[in-house]
Amino acid sequence: MDLATVIGLLMGLIALMGGFTLEGGSVGSLLNFPSAVIVFGGTIGAAMVTVPLAGFLAVPKVFMKALFAPKDEGAQLVDTFYNLAERARPEGLLSLEAEAQNIEDPLLKRGILLVVDGMEPDTIQSIVESEISAMEERHEQAVAFWEALGGFGPTMGIIGTVMGLVNVLSHLSDPSELGHKIAGAFIATLYGVMFANVVAL
């Protein structure tokens, strides 16, 4: 697990909530369901328009990759290639088929099986590079979705606040509730800015 990402998220949220509480505020007063629906629903909907469906569906996987950063397997990869070469030299390329079944990396496994099938090196390189490009494109789309969330979040927060204020101004018959309702309207801006900067970006 990438502790810096987890600690950073928690520290940001705790600092914001803690500071608000130290000023005499109540965390419960920040809970506003209509504002959450407007901001989070509107932000996700707007961000979905910016990427293909495949990019949107890859978002959870990319988020998990941010939390659980893959360990550096460079040395292990070198050992794998060395062992494959050592086996292929005396026993031939066909002997690598059994070895390939023990390889967890799907791209490397596919490449070894293409070697076993007797494909030309240039063809294998082209296939593997195409698969890498497709994977990078999927990741870029998911990253673009998170960037879009960060861009649309504050705007949706302002829209939510304006909508809340419109609602407040249309019900001025009870002045005693005016301050409470205006404060509630501004929670939408808080949601949008906080989500964009602490989580999405």
Side-chain angles (χ1 to χ4, degrees):
M1 175 177 283
D2 183 11
L3 289 178
T5 300
V6 177
I7 292 171
L9 283 171
L10 291 175
M11 184 180 295
L13 293 172
I14 290 170
L16 291 171
M17 297 301 106
F20 181 71
T21 304
L22 289 173
E23 288 184 339
S26 167
V27 174
S29 66
L30 297 178
L31 301 178
N32 188 303
F33 185 67
S35 295
V37 171
I38 292 170
V39 174
F40 298 121
T43 301
I44 292 171
M48 281 183 70
V49 176
T50 66
V51 297
L53 182 60
F56 172 70
L57 294 176
V59 166
K61 186 181 291 186
V62 170
F63 181 70
M64 294 308 292
K65 283 184 180 292
L67 291 182
F68 300 96
K71 58 184 179 182
D72 184 11
E73 298 177 342
Q76 183 180 345
L77 195 60
V78 170
D79 288 341
T80 299
F81 277 113
Y82 178 79
N83 292 333
L84 290 171
E86 284 292 296
R87 177 155 187 183
R89 187 174 294 114
E91 300 179 31
L93 292 176
L94 291 178
S95 66
L96 299 181
E97 186 168 12
E99 290 289 324
Q101 305 309 318
N102 300 323
I103 296 175
E104 294 182 9
D105 186 321
L107 188 62
L108 177 56
K109 183 176 182 177
R110 178 158 166 71
I112 297 302
L113 291 176
L114 291 174
V115 170
V116 171
D117 288 341
M119 283 199 169
E120 293 295 322
D122 289 345
T123 305
I124 296 172
Q125 181 176 343
S126 176
I127 291 172
V128 171
E129 287 178 351
S130 296
E131 293 195 12
I132 291 172
S133 296
M135 180 177 63
E136 288 175 343
E137 186 175 340
R138 288 194 302 272
H139 289 178
E140 285 170 4
Q141 289 171 357
V143 170
F145 180 81
W146 283 101
E147 291 174 344
L149 288 177
F152 290 124
T155 305
M156 290 299 170
I158 293 171
I159 290 172
T161 294
V162 171
M163 293 172 74
L165 291 175
V166 167
N167 191 37
V168 168
L169 294 174
S170 64
H171 297 86
L172 292 177
S173 56
D174 187 4
S176 63
E177 288 289 314
L178 199 57
H180 175 72
K181 288 182 177 178
I182 290 175
F186 277 100
I187 289 176
T189 298
L190 173 67
Y191 284 173
V193 174
M194 186 170 69
F195 175 69
N197 290 282
V198 178
V199 180
L201 293 177

